[in-house]
Amino acid sequence: MLDSCKLKSACNLPFIYNKKINTAGTSNADVPLPDPGMYQLDITLRRGQSLAARDRGGTSDPYVKFKIGRKEVFRSKIIHKNLNPVWEEKACILVEHLREPLYIKVFDYDFGLQDDFMGSAFLDLTQLELNRPTDVTLTLKDPHYPDHDLGIILLSVVLTPKEGEHRDATMLMRKSWKRSSKELSENEVVGSYFSVKSFFWRFQTQSLRLSDAHRKSHLWRGIVSITLIEGRDLKAMDSNGLSDPYVKFRLGHQKYKSKIMPKTLNPQWREQFDFHLYEERGGIIDITAWDKDAGKRDDFIGRCQVDLSALSREQTHKLELQLEEGEGRLVLLVTLTASATVSISDLSVSSLEDQKEREEILKRYSPLRIFHNLKDVGFLQVKVIRAEGLMVADVTGKSDPFCVVELNNDRLLTHTVYKNLNPEWNKVFTFNIKDIHSVLEVTVYDEDRDRSADFLGKVAIPLLSIQNGEQKAYVLKNKQLTGPTKGVIYLEIDVIFNAVKASLRTLIPKEQKYIEEENRLSKQLLLRNFIRMKRCVMVLVNAAYYVNSCLDWDSPPRSLAAFVLFLFVVWNFELYMIPLVLLLLLTWNYFLIISGKDNRQHDTVVEDMLEDEEEEDDKDDKDSEKKGFINKIYAIQEVCISVQNILDEVASFGERIKNTFNWTVPFLSWLAIIALCVFTVILYFIPLRYIVLVWGINKFTKKLRSPYAIDNNELLDFLSRVPSDVQVVQYQELKPDPSHSPCKRKKNNLG
């Protein structure tokens, strides 16, 4: 049986035409002949010389991409901190048309950030001699800055005709023509032609069957769950004999960075995250340990690797890895499991359109299957239909848009529609929901051949706000999700989930995105966070002023009522009254909302400041490019970012508490009501000392019962699902232009 590459080649061979020699002297006819234009290109990536520096330390972490047409065919490994890297890597590439040049692009790898472009070059395949090794030196250039010297790349290449079944068919056809030129009968020639045609037809039919069988296949083959437990006897990098260690993980293009553990050589991380497993045979996880240094480049502690092909599936492995090029060990738990239901298909093969498949999905998440696979909370189907009125990104007045659909760390892409501002994708994406409080992010980019993709617009949609089966036009927003940009995108989304599983998952730590932009200093963001925290603190200050005014008898009736209430509460106080008061507050706000007397104040100050932030950040970016201000005060920037983040965390904590009682997310508010009812009953019937005793026994024995359990606080995990005021603004839907509604468009088409 042919492999997939050969099968595709045989089914899509272009045809040339020759004249058929007819012994009877009748009219000639044109008969197609396959073109044997299939080649194998063997590349050895030797090294680079004098490459461009893209990091602060005057170095780069270069790697190379090879593309033919618009498809990436090979990517090299990363050489860290080197402007003269030596790769010595080999790649074998199947080439269908020599007219498509080999496109080489070099990038600087930046962990957690967008990789920096370091230059590109072309290799004209038509100039290569067949079956002859050729050494090639390519000068790297930036199309936007052609005068810049970006170094050179050295390659060795060999181009050979591709041997395979389609060449056997070609030889058969050539023999037929050779025989026909020697005055064969017409029946013999036509018979030879149809035998070869049948040969290709069988391959094409088989290809269609394979395509049909795999049209809804998973994009990755499994999940790698990693728990970073601890480090032991790490190398001391600071003058105090200690380090501030953190760990970076990389599997293919997937990256994760652990939290920083200050002043220790035996850190306890207890962090869990997942990678996608794309290769059948596994893969290699590269692990590096670093020491965080404020104001200068972080120090390298050591590295190690995990070969996933050596690990058995569906089993948790405890690994104690010795760090190379350094000192110490890392302790990990690694589990390989089967793939989740993540797929891409056309609209015609939508999962929920098939009644039988829909019933199976509904059964999987029915209330009766509460304790079956608690991590599988629900099912999400996203139909990315089309976009209209997108931003112009190319000099031709058009764009090459494609769409990225993200749910936590699951990230899928549509195809690119070239030269179009009103693209139609008509794709269906399916995801497994691990947390019902996740946010679906749909981003539209413009594909740029020479540089990274240009941002065109984005929407963020909380799963709990989705109306099933409704096609909606979402106005695209800017990168900060604070204001509109040009264009709308049409989506149809369905969410099916188990409410009990979703509630239980709310009380465990939420999944962290391991590919996020690093925080950067912004005076507007710093000011905004300060005002948000001040607003939360002022609530407490105003409450203190109110109590003090009662004590000072500024209003005798109010002070008298407060005094009587104080005596009554203190005399009759029981501990169960605390959750009861919170329960009454939630209930009171609920009745205000349903009665139309909503006491929630939509704070426009946050939205206005976010818009100002975007404008100021653009100015700051331009100023930083001209003056290099951020680089000069890098140490101060680190401190300011820390203060900025602390203000954000404190303000967000207060806003999340407020939004819980304000019914911003009804699912969470109802969950809080259930929990408060349970606590009220428990505190009413069970003495406090028994409750404290059970709590203490659980805490003291937790490490004994589960040594590698990840520490968590159920209350903080619950509050982490409640959106802050900034997130409420980001998730708010903008009203689309009425002319973009599906009904209006249909009427216009009919007209």
Side-chain angles (χ1 to χ4, degrees), residues 454-609:
D454 296 323
F455 176 86
L456 297 181
K458 180 178 182 179
V459 293
I461 309 166
L463 297 186
L464 285 171
S465 68
I466 291 170
Q467 300 294 324
N468 282 354
E470 179 183 357
Q471 182 178 328
K472 294 183 64 175
Y474 293 89
V475 176
L476 294 173
K477 296 184 177 182
N478 54 28
K479 286 185 179 181
Q480 291 76 22
L481 293 170
T482 57
T485 187
K486 194 173 181 182
V488 296
I489 186 168
Y490 289 89
L491 306 174
E492 183 179 326
I493 313 173
D494 288 271
V495 176
I496 299 173
F497 69 98
N498 184 297
V500 178
K501 286 185 183 180
S503 301
L504 294 175
R505 291 281 295 175
T506 304
L507 303 178
I508 66 175
K510 66 186 297 187
E511 182 180 6
Q512 300 295 323
K513 294 192 70 171
Y514 47 75
I515 300 181
E516 288 186 323
E517 292 187 3
E518 289 188 2
N519 294 314
R520 56 194 178 95
L521 181 61
S522 165
K523 62 182 180 181
Q524 286 293 327
L525 185 60
L526 187 64
L527 178 61
R528 185 200 75 189
N529 291 342
F530 176 78
I531 293 176
R532 290 171 59 208
M533 190 186 74
K534 179 181 177 182
R535 192 184 306 119
C536 296
V537 172
M538 288 305 298
V539 173
L540 301 177
V541 172
N542 291 334
Y545 278 134
Y546 184 84
V547 172
N548 191 60
S549 67
C550 292
L551 297 176
D552 291 340
W553 292 83
D554 293 341
S555 173
R558 185 179 62 190
S559 297
L560 180 61
F563 181 57
V564 173
L565 180 64
F566 169 76
L567 294 175
F568 177 79
V569 170
V570 172
W571 185 257
N572 298 282
F573 177 77
E574 297 289 345
L575 196 60
Y576 71 86
M577 293 182 180
I578 295 177
L580 182 60
V581 169
L582 298 177
L583 180 61
L584 292 174
L585 180 58
L586 270 167
T587 307
W588 172 255
N589 280 343
Y590 176 72
F591 282 113
L592 285 177
I593 292 171
I594 63 175
S595 64
K597 300 178 181 178
D598 190 354
N599 68 334
R600 292 180 292 178
Q601 296 179 352
H602 299 282
D603 195 352
T604 58
V605 176
V606 175
E607 186 171 0
D608 292 339
M609 291 187 63

Side-chain angles (χ1 to χ4, degrees), residues 312-526:
S312 56
R313 302 291 180 107
E314 308 298 336
Q315 180 180 347
T316 299
H317 304 268
K318 180 186 176 184
L319 306 177
E320 188 170 328
L321 305 174
Q322 182 70 38
L323 291 177
E324 301 174 1
E325 305 175 32
E327 300 175 8
R329 292 161 292 166
L330 296 178
V331 180
L332 311 174
L333 297 181
V334 181
T335 307
L336 278 66
T337 58
S339 174
T341 308
V342 180
S343 65
I344 302 177
S345 61
D346 294 325
L347 287 179
S348 58
V349 288
S350 169
S351 297
L352 296 180
E353 298 296 331
D354 186 339
Q355 188 61 32
K356 184 178 179 180
E357 194 166 349
R358 184 184 185 91
E359 289 175 358
E360 290 179 357
I361 294 172
L362 290 172
K363 181 180 178 181
R364 191 193 315 165
Y365 302 109
S366 68
L368 300 178
R369 299 178 62 113
I370 297 174
F371 299 106
H372 179 75
N373 191 4
L374 288 175
K375 291 185 177 181
D376 187 12
V377 171
F379 174 85
L380 171 67
Q381 177 178 281
V382 184
K383 294 182 181 179
V384 181
I385 301 170
R386 67 181 187 277
E388 292 181 352
L390 295 180
M391 188 186 306
V392 174
D394 298 338
V395 293
T396 59
K398 299 289 185 179
S399 294
D400 303 323
F402 67 95
C403 199
V404 178
V405 183
E406 295 178 86
L407 183 69
N408 291 331
N409 291 311
D410 294 339
R411 187 173 188 266
L412 303 178
L413 287 74
T414 68
H415 61 281
T416 302
V417 179
Y418 295 101
K419 308 300 180 187
N420 203 320
L421 299 180
N422 302 287
E424 292 193 10
W425 292 289
N426 293 320
K427 293 295 181 183
V428 180
F429 300 85
T430 63
F431 299 88
N432 263 90
I433 299 174
K434 303 175 187 176
D435 190 345
I436 196 59
H437 309 289
S438 302
V439 177
L440 175 69
E441 296 182 359
V442 182
T443 312
V444 183
Y445 292 96
D446 167 69
E447 182 181 308
D448 195 329
R449 186 183 180 116
D450 298 322
R451 308 183 68 85
S452 58
D454 296 323
F455 176 86
L456 297 181
K458 180 178 182 179
V459 293
I461 309 166
L463 297 186
L464 285 171
S465 68
I466 291 170
Q467 300 294 324
N468 282 354
E470 179 183 357
Q471 182 178 328
K472 294 183 64 175
Y474 293 89
V475 176
L476 294 173
K477 296 184 177 182
N478 54 28
K479 286 185 179 181
Q480 291 76 22
L481 293 170
T482 57
T485 187
K486 194 173 181 182
V488 296
I489 186 168
Y490 289 89
L491 306 174
E492 183 179 326
I493 313 173
D494 288 271
V495 176
I496 299 173
F497 69 98
N498 184 297
V500 178
K501 286 185 183 180
S503 301
L504 294 175
R505 291 281 295 175
T506 304
L507 303 178
I508 66 175
K510 66 186 297 187
E511 182 180 6
Q512 300 295 323
K513 294 192 70 171
Y514 47 75
I515 300 181
E516 288 186 323
E517 292 187 3
E518 289 188 2
N519 294 314
R520 56 194 178 95
L521 181 61
S522 165
K523 62 182 180 181
Q524 286 293 327
L525 185 60
L526 187 64

